[in-house]
Amino acid sequence: ERLRKQFSDILGSKVPEDSYSVDPTLNKAISLWSGNITLLEIDAIVNAANKSLRGGGGVDGAIHSAAGPSLKAECATLGGCEEGNSKITAGYRLPAKHVIHTVGPQGEKPEKLESCYRTCLQVLTAKKLRSVAFPCISTGIYGYPQEAAAHVALKTVRNFLEKNPGLIDRVIFCLFLKEDVKIYENLMQVYFPIE
Ligand code: AR6
C-alpha cells in the first residue's frame, strides 16, 4: 500500500492494479538504454516489422539497411507474420546474432502488443538465446500511445521473467526518443521496484 501511494504520487491515476514485489535478481536482468538498436552486440534485437516482413520505415528500415540484403532474402522465405506474432532470422551484418521480427498492432490494442513481447521472449528462449533488446514496438508509425505501450512492455517482460527463471540474462529496452526515457524511468519504479 505504501508503494502504491508512492507510485500514485508519481503516476497520477495510471497506477496498475497489481503491485510488483522487489526482486533484485529480476532487476539485474533489465537495462534501459537510449540509442540506435542496430549498434547492439547481443544475442537478438527485436524489429518492429509489418505483416509482410519485407521491410519498411522506422526501426525496420534501420535494421534492414544495417543488416544488408541477405536479411530481406531470409525474410522473404518466412511467409509473412501475423499481428502479435514473432519470427526469428539471422543478424547478417548486424553486431546482433539474430533479429526477432514482431508485428505490432496499429493503434492501442494491449492484448496484441502484449503478445508481441511475449512471443519474442518465447522465440528467444526456444533458441536458447539469453539476451535481447526491444525497441518501443508500435509507438512510431503504428501510433500506439507511448506511455500505455510502456506499461504493456514492462509488465509483459516482468511476468515472463518471473515465470521463466534463469533463462534470460538481459533484456534491454532501447529508447530512441527522450520522452520514452522519461516514461520508462518512471515506470521502472512500478514494475521493477528497488525498495
Ligand atoms: N533504433 C531504436 N529505435 C528506433 C530506431 C532505431 N534505429 N528508429 C526508430 N526507432 P516504428 P512501429 C523507434 O515507427 O510504430 C515500419 O514501416 C521509434 O522512435 O519504427 O511499430 C514497419 O515496416 C519508435 O520509438 O515502428 C511497419 O510498417 C519505435 O522505434 C511500421 O513501421 C517504433 O517505431 C511499424 O510501426
Side-chain angles (χ1 to χ4, degrees), residues 35-37 48-50 55-60 62 136 138-142 174 176-177:
N36 180 348
I37 203 165
N50 58 61
V59 70
D60 194 5
C136 300
S138 278
T139 62
I141 293 162
Y142 279 177
C174 175
F176 202 60
L177 304 176

Side-chain angles (χ1 to χ4, degrees), residues 7-143:
F7 297 151
S8 52
D9 290 346
I10 302 166
L11 299 168
S13 58
K14 291 186 175 132
V15 194
E17 281 308 308
D18 313 336
S19 86
Y20 291 85
S21 60
V22 175
D23 186 332
T25 311
L26 293 187
N27 292 351
K28 262 198 263 175
I30 302 294
S31 304
L32 305 185
W33 182 74
S34 57
N36 180 348
I37 203 165
T38 64
L39 301 176
L40 293 173
E41 189 177 342
I42 191 170
D43 287 344
I45 60 172
V46 171
N47 181 18
N50 58 61
K51 286 185 188 173
S52 78
L53 298 185
R54 285 173 192 267
V59 70
D60 194 5
I63 288 173
H64 275 279
S65 355
S70 306
L71 180 60
K72 273 212 172 62
E74 184 176 357
C75 282
T77 69
L78 298 177
C81 184
E82 290 306 308
E83 191 179 274
N85 212 350
S86 308
K87 293 191 177 176
I88 192 165
T89 64
Y92 299 99
R93 292 182 193 156
L94 290 165
K97 292 193 198 103
H98 301 269
V99 179
I100 301 175
H101 307 264
T102 193
V103 182
Q106 301 184 32
E108 193 170 349
K109 291 191 241 166
E111 277 151 34
K112 289 289 182 194
L113 188 62
E114 180 174 339
S115 172
C116 287
Y117 283 93
R118 194 182 56 249
T119 57
C120 281
L121 294 172
Q122 282 165 348
V123 165
L124 183 85
T125 53
K127 288 269 183 195
K128 306 225 180 305
L129 303 173
R130 304 190 60 90
S131 58
V132 64
F134 285 100
C136 300
I137 301 163
S138 278
T139 62
I141 293 162
Y142 279 177

